[in-house]
């Protein structure tokens, strides 16, 4: 199959690109820096397959996104079997202190760019269907696309939006034979927490939020390194959803993600939010002193 995956430089994206390649697929790895950077990041074994291709794709650049159909037309005869929207990052901190530009950038990368890629790739996905393929779109969302957390608000909004359009796409695209799947991971040990953009809070203007943000940063790093799951589980799920005949829409993965999803399903919102207020205060805002 001919597969495009964004955010292929590291984390889930790189692991999945390699796994798909070693399953015999043609992979177009989209990453910032394109071929030059890609050749430095991937193993000589992967490069030697001759089935790994690179495209420079900074997601905030409409010009870069617009070059994609041309690449698919020239190299794959206009056919694409799987689009995997994986690239993304987290903007975290109190919403009160975030700038419009920061929130818009978060939406641009995590929501508008994946949606634009769907539009740009649909003619090629439909071509796959016309040629007897079983094309699909796999959007990497998050448990944060189903449940909101404190200081994740903008990231939550971007992933909730991705969830919304993905569900709508199931109805819109099934007549064309294009399937849609969402993956909703909990915490996994990738570089995600290291590349979080934190909101700036000036202690002289808002000492309480500044102190809470410091605790949040400390606890996020600690939680990620202690409790994060193995990212290979997600790349295996990406491979499975790329290859299996029929895919369902939602795929929650990770212990913490499952726990939150079950609570969301079982408890009325008022109870769940009361319970999670206590939980999040302990997990994210507990004083660093009491942790030692
Ligand atoms: N790890 C988790 O715990 C977790 C949980 C739930 C959901 N997710 C989601 O999983 C996806 C992959 O994340 P990951 O965990 O693998 O994190 P990661 O290791 O930080 O990888 C993020 C990838 O996205 C790329 N990227 C970020 N901003 C970009 C931009 N503006 N243009 C192009 N590429 C950009 C990065 O490229 P560069 O190398 O160029 O920065 C990198 O390849 C994301 O959508 C994330 O929201 C992760």
């Amino acid at each position: 199959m001919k597969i495009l995956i964004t955010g292929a430089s590291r984390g889930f994206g790189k692991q999945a690109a390699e796994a798909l390649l070693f399953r015999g697929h043609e992979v177009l790895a989209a990453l910032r820096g394109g071929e030059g950077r890609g050749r430095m990041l991937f193993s000589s074994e992967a490069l030697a397959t001759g089935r790994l291709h690179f495209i420079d794709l900074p997601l905030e650049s409409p010009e870069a996104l617009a070059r994609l159909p041309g690449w698919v037309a020239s190299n794959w005869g206009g056919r694409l079997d799987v689009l995997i929207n994986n690239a993304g990052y987290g903007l975290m901190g109190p919403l009160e202190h975030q700038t419009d530009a920061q929130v818009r950038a978060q939406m641009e990368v995590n929501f508008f760019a994946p949606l634009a890629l769907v539009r740009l790739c649909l003619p090629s996905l439909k071509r796959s269907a016309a040629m007897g393929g079983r094309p699909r779109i796999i959007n990497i969302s998050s448990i944060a696309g189903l449940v909101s957390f404190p200081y994740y608000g903008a990231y939550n909004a971007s992933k909730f939006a991705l969830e919304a359009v993905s569900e709508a796409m199931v109805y819109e695209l099934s007549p064309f034979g294009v399937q849609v799947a969402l993956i909703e991971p909990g915490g996994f040990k990738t570089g995600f927490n290291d590349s979080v953009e934190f909101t700036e809070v000036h202690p002289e203007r808002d000492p309480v939020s500044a102190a809470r943000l410091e605790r949040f940063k400390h606890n996020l790093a600690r939680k990620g390194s202690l409790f994060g799951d193995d990212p290979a589980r997600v790349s295996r799920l990406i491979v499975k959803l790329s290859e299996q005949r029929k895919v369902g829409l939602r795929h929650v993965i990770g212990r913490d993600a499952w726990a939150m999803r079950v609570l969301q399903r079982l408890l009325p919102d008022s109870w769940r939010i009361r319970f999670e207020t206590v939980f999040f205060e302990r997990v994210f805002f507990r004083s660093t002193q009491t942790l030692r």
Side-chain angles (χ1 to χ4, degrees):
M1 285 192 295
K2 299 179 189 325
I3 301 174
L4 163 64
I5 181 162
T6 66
S9 62
R10 54 198 166 89
F12 298 150
K14 178 160 183 278
Q15 286 199 7
E18 278 169 346
L20 289 162
L21 197 64
F22 295 129
R23 296 278 301 166
H25 302 295
E26 290 269 339
V27 175
L28 176 55
L31 72 172
R32 291 190 277 204
E35 176 133 20
R37 184 171 174 220
R39 289 198 160 271
M40 291 196 298
L41 294 174
F42 281 83
S43 65
S44 47
E45 208 186 347
L47 296 169
T49 60
R51 285 180 281 101
L52 177 60
H53 315 276
F54 298 102
I55 189 163
D56 185 13
L57 207 68
L59 291 183
E60 51 282 275
S61 161
E63 296 78 26
L65 299 184
R67 282 196 288 274
L68 192 65
W71 190 98
V72 176
S74 325
N75 296 279
W76 286 347
R79 172 179 179 158
L80 181 68
D81 298 298
V82 187
L83 162 63
I84 305 168
N85 273 315
N86 163 71
Y89 76 99
L91 166 66
M92 293 184 191
L95 286 162
E96 181 187 355
H97 292 272
Q98 286 170 357
T99 65
D100 251 16
Q102 285 175 316
V103 177
R104 284 175 195 277
Q106 174 75 112
M107 294 302 289
E108 197 62 51
V109 171
N110 289 9
F111 173 66
F112 287 112
L115 183 57
L117 282 175
V118 167
R119 280 194 298 263
L120 290 164
C121 290
L122 264 174
S124 306
L125 292 164
K126 288 180 181 174
R127 185 167 171 80
S128 159
M131 293 169 80
R134 281 189 291 272
R136 63 211 47 200
I137 296 163
I138 301 174
N139 289 330
I140 312 302
S141 173
S142 168
I143 187 61
L146 296 168
V147 183
S148 284
F149 315 143
Y151 286 15
Y152 277 67
Y155 179 71
N156 285 130
S158 69
K159 295 294 189 181
F160 269 63
L162 188 63
E163 294 269 334
V165 295
S166 301
E167 190 166 325
M169 277 180 223
V170 172
Y171 304 113
E172 293 184 21
L173 301 182
S174 64
F176 300 99
V178 179
Q179 302 185 68
V180 183
L182 282 159
I183 297 182
E184 290 123 343
F188 281 82
K189 284 183 183 161
T190 63
F192 183 81
N193 282 348
D194 304 324
S195 38
V196 163
E197 179 187 340
F198 287 106
T199 313
E200 226 181 294
V201 179
H202 299 288
E204 62 284 4
R205 269 182 41 209
D206 186 346
V208 175
S209 294
R212 281 173 69 77
L213 182 60
E214 282 316 303
R215 287 183 205 162
F216 176 83
K217 284 182 185 175
H218 175 91
N219 289 330
L220 188 70
R222 179 178 168 274
K223 177 179 155 288
S225 61
L226 286 182
F227 305 115
D229 263 326
D230 176 5
R233 291 186 58 205
V234 175
S235 61
R236 282 196 295 271
L237 180 58
I238 293 175
V239 172
K240 184 173 154 208
L241 295 179
S242 300
E243 294 181 342
Q244 82 186 19
R245 213 182 153 77
K246 284 241 169 251
V247 294
L249 177 62
R250 291 202 162 84
H251 304 270
V252 172
I253 180 166
R255 294 179 294 262
D256 52 351
W258 266 111
M260 287 192 176
R261 186 61 167 157
V262 168
L263 282 181
Q264 187 186 42
R265 284 286 167 106
L266 291 181
L267 297 180
D269 268 0
S270 56
W271 291 18
R272 176 179 61 83
I273 289 170
R274 211 175 304 161
F275 170 80
E276 285 182 348
T277 301
V278 177
F279 173 77
F280 288 137
E281 280 300 319
R282 286 186 66 85
V283 171
F284 290 133
F285 301 110
R286 192 156 62 156
S287 156
T288 51
Q289 265 78 42
T290 61
L291 292 173
R292 293 197 187 106

